[in-house]
């Protein structure tokens, strides 16, 4: 066999160093993934921890590629091997974002996604295993072995590591899902989750939660063309409230906020911090409380349409619908004035859907109102504002303090 010259040896060392850097990148990414699953995955199944431990296996596979990078005797082999490692890295980066979203925003659920969401992980695992398998084959049989034999052994090792890791994690996740499915869910962030619970009728008396975490989304369009949006997140305790909003509209742009406590009230604008204001000026800025006391009073709900019983994240709720006019909609959601300003909305009409849960409290609201586009300062024909609000973790302790 022909031995490499000193110059070629130096080039091979440089290529090996570059491949080791690539391996270090996807080793770190697999470590981040495993850490997220191990620390954040807690749907309440019998083997939550075992699923997290199974997620550690790809770290060991990636570490093999870092310790023993594949051989790269010429530029063509180096480029192909480098792209193999880079493919694993490029697939992992957006997939980690999906895991973060699932663990933080999708509620208590198993981590097995659909095939469309799972195949990037399988591709990342396969490319990582093949990369490491080629390096392990070179280490096991020696660098002077024929390239064809090393490729065959490396491919076999990569396939074995992919199959072993995938089966281990998949089996643990499926077993946990089965155990979780058989365990009754008694409460969700929306309310009681007992399927035998009788939810109140649409015109029955409803209770106002003492506290709530509230998320509110508003969008506006003219003739189906978007003209503005706003997202609000905050907490409420009685009439005390604190929320912040990101707004993009012609009449308002940037970060806005309201803070009210028994000792005073403050507003936040795009160009300044919290500024003291008269508490009376923020009386209607109490999010879900304002909706309940303006749009969902008994008189309004006497003609409510019963849309049936639904389950929202495991919580049983009755879906109801009422008709609203523009002034009522604006009074219930005063943040609509980010789009309408001081316009007169008496000719606007719409519908407000609300969901009453087993604790007799409203946890979700969806409203659509429309009218003349001229009221929003537009030359179009019809303007529409859509509002979605959820009030979750109701009656749980919250703390609202002055800025």
């Amino acid at each position: 066999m022909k031995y490499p010259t000193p110059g070629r040896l130096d080039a091979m060392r440089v290529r090996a160093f570059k491949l080791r850097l690539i391996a270090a990148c996807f080793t770190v990414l697999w470590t981040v993934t495993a850490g997220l699953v191990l620390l954040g995955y807690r749907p309440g199944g019998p083997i939550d921890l075992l699923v997290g431990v199974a997620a550690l296996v790809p770290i060991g596979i990636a570490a093999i590629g870092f310790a023993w990078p594949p051989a790269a005797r010429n530029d063509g082999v180096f480029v192909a091997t480098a792209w193999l490692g880079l493919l694993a890295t490029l697939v992992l980066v957006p997939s980690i974002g999906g895991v973060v979203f699932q663990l933080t925003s999708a509620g208590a659920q198993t981590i097995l996604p659909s095939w469309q969401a799972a195949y990037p992980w399988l591709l990342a695992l396969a490319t990582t295993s093949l990369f490491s398998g080629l390096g392990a084959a070179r280490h096991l049989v020696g660098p002077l072995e024929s390239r064809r034999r090393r490729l065959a052994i490396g491919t076999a090792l990569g396939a074995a590591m992919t199959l072993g890791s995938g089966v281990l994690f998949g089996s643990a996740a499926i077993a946990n899902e089965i155990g979780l499915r058989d365990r009754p869910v008694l409460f969700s962030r929306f309310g009681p989750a007992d399927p035998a619970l009788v939810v109140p009728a649409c015109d029955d008396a409803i209770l106002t939660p003492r506290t709530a975490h509230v998320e509110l989304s508003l969008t506006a369009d003219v003739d189906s063309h978007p003209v503005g949006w706003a997202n609000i997140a905050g907490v409420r305790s009685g009439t005390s409230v604190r929320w912040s909003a990101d707004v993009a509209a012609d009449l308002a742009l940037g970060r806005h906020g309201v803070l009210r406590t028994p000792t005073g009230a403050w507003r936040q604008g795009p160009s300044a911090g919290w500024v003291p204001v008269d508490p009376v000026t923020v009386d209607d800025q109490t999010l879900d409380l304002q909706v309940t006391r303006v749009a969902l009073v008994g008189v309004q709900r006497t003609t409510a349409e019963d849309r049936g019983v639904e389950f929202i994240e495991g919580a049983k709720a009755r879906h109801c619908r009422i008709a609203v006019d523009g002034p009522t909609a604006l009074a219930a959601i005063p943040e609509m004035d980010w789009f309408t300003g001081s316009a007169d909305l008496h000719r606007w009409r719409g519908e407000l859907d609300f969901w009453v849960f087993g604790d007799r409290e409203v946890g979700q609201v969806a409203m659509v109102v429309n009218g003349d586009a001229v009221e929003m300062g537009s030359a179009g024909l019809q303007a529409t504002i859509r509002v979605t609000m959820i009030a979750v973790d109701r009656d749980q302790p919250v703390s609202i303090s002055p800025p």
Side-chain angles (χ1 to χ4, degrees):
M1 179 172 289
K2 186 176 181 181
Y3 288 90
T5 62
R8 289 189 62 192
L9 283 174
D10 290 339
M12 288 173 60
R13 292 190 186 100
V14 172
R15 297 188 190 110
F17 176 74
K18 293 179 180 179
L19 292 177
R20 185 172 275 117
L21 285 179
I22 295 174
C25 289
F26 60 66
T27 301
V28 170
L29 292 175
W30 278 117
T31 302
V32 171
T33 302
L36 289 171
V37 176
L38 186 62
L39 300 177
Y41 171 68
R42 291 294 185 275
I47 54 172
D48 288 352
L49 185 60
L50 183 59
V51 176
V53 172
L56 298 174
V57 175
I59 301 176
I61 297 175
I64 294 174
F66 177 75
W68 303 321
R73 292 192 173 186
N74 57 61
D75 289 338
V77 174
F78 168 74
V79 171
T81 309
W83 271 111
L84 182 66
L86 287 173
L87 178 60
T89 303
L90 293 173
V91 174
L92 277 171
V93 171
S95 298
I96 290 174
V99 170
V100 172
F101 173 79
Q102 184 172 355
L103 295 178
T104 60
S105 304
Q109 58 178 319
T110 54
I111 204 165
L112 281 179
S114 63
W115 167 248
Q116 290 80 2
Y119 86 85
W121 290 108
L122 184 59
L123 179 61
L125 180 60
T127 51
T128 300
S129 299
L130 182 57
F131 186 97
S132 298
L134 294 174
R138 178 174 179 268
H139 178 76
L140 291 174
V141 302
L144 301 181
E145 186 61 61
S146 68
R147 183 180 301 169
R148 179 175 297 178
R149 185 163 184 263
R150 282 190 284 114
L151 179 60
I153 295 175
T155 302
L157 288 174
M161 288 187 287
T162 301
L163 182 63
S165 178
V167 169
L168 178 62
F169 182 81
S171 299
I174 290 173
N176 199 49
E177 180 179 6
I178 293 174
L180 185 64
R181 187 181 301 162
D182 296 336
R183 179 174 297 181
V185 179
L186 301 178
F187 205 84
S188 80
R189 63 179 185 147
F190 277 90
D194 184 358
L197 191 66
V198 178
V199 292
C202 293
D203 58 351
D204 283 351
I206 58 176
L207 302 178
T208 302
R210 299 185 306 276
T211 64
H213 288 74
V214 184
E215 296 177 15
L216 191 65
S217 174
L218 301 93
T219 61
D221 64 72
V222 173
D223 296 336
S224 299
H225 296 288
V227 296
W229 60 266
N231 290 319
I232 301 174
V235 294
R236 180 188 60 79
S237 177
T239 57
S240 297
V241 67
R242 178 170 186 158
W243 56 258
S244 295
D246 294 313
V247 185
D250 290 340
L251 301 178
L253 182 65
R255 170 67 64 123
H256 295 256
V258 166
L259 172 58
R260 175 177 175 166
T261 70
T263 61
W266 297 261
R267 281 188 181 272
Q268 182 185 40
S271 58
W274 293 104
V275 178
V277 296
D278 187 344
V280 176
T281 63
V282 293
D283 277 346
D284 59 353
Q285 304 289 314
T286 51
L287 303 175
D288 64 310
L289 178 61
Q290 179 69 7
V291 174
T292 301
R293 66 187 183 185
V294 170
L296 301 181
V297 294
V299 176
Q300 297 276 18
R301 291 186 292 108
T302 52
T303 58
E305 177 186 354
D306 189 339
R307 307 283 292 179
V309 175
E310 300 177 4
F311 285 85
I312 301 176
E313 291 190 14
K316 191 176 182 180
R318 188 172 300 279
H319 180 185
C320 308
R321 175 177 292 173
I322 61 174
V324 294
D325 56 19
T328 301
L330 184 59
I333 310 289
E335 294 78 20
M336 282 174 46
D337 65 5
W338 288 329
F339 309 123
T340 64
S342 58
D344 182 5
L345 304 183
H346 75 276
R347 290 180 293 182
W348 283 44
R349 296 293 183 269
E351 296 174 332
L352 186 148
D353 289 38
F354 62 96
W355 285 258
V356 184
F357 291 82
D359 54 6
R360 309 185 73 87
E361 296 174 351
V362 175
Q364 181 168 286
V365 171
M367 183 176 68
V368 179
V369 289
N370 51 52
D372 293 339
V374 68
E375 309 296 351
M376 287 178 52
S378 174
L381 297 177
Q382 186 178 67
T384 302
I385 297 178
R386 294 176 173 84
V387 179
T388 302
M389 184 192 73
I390 62 172
V392 296
D393 297 326
R394 301 184 300 278
D395 299 312
Q396 300 299 313
V398 299
S399 176
I400 301 176
S401 56

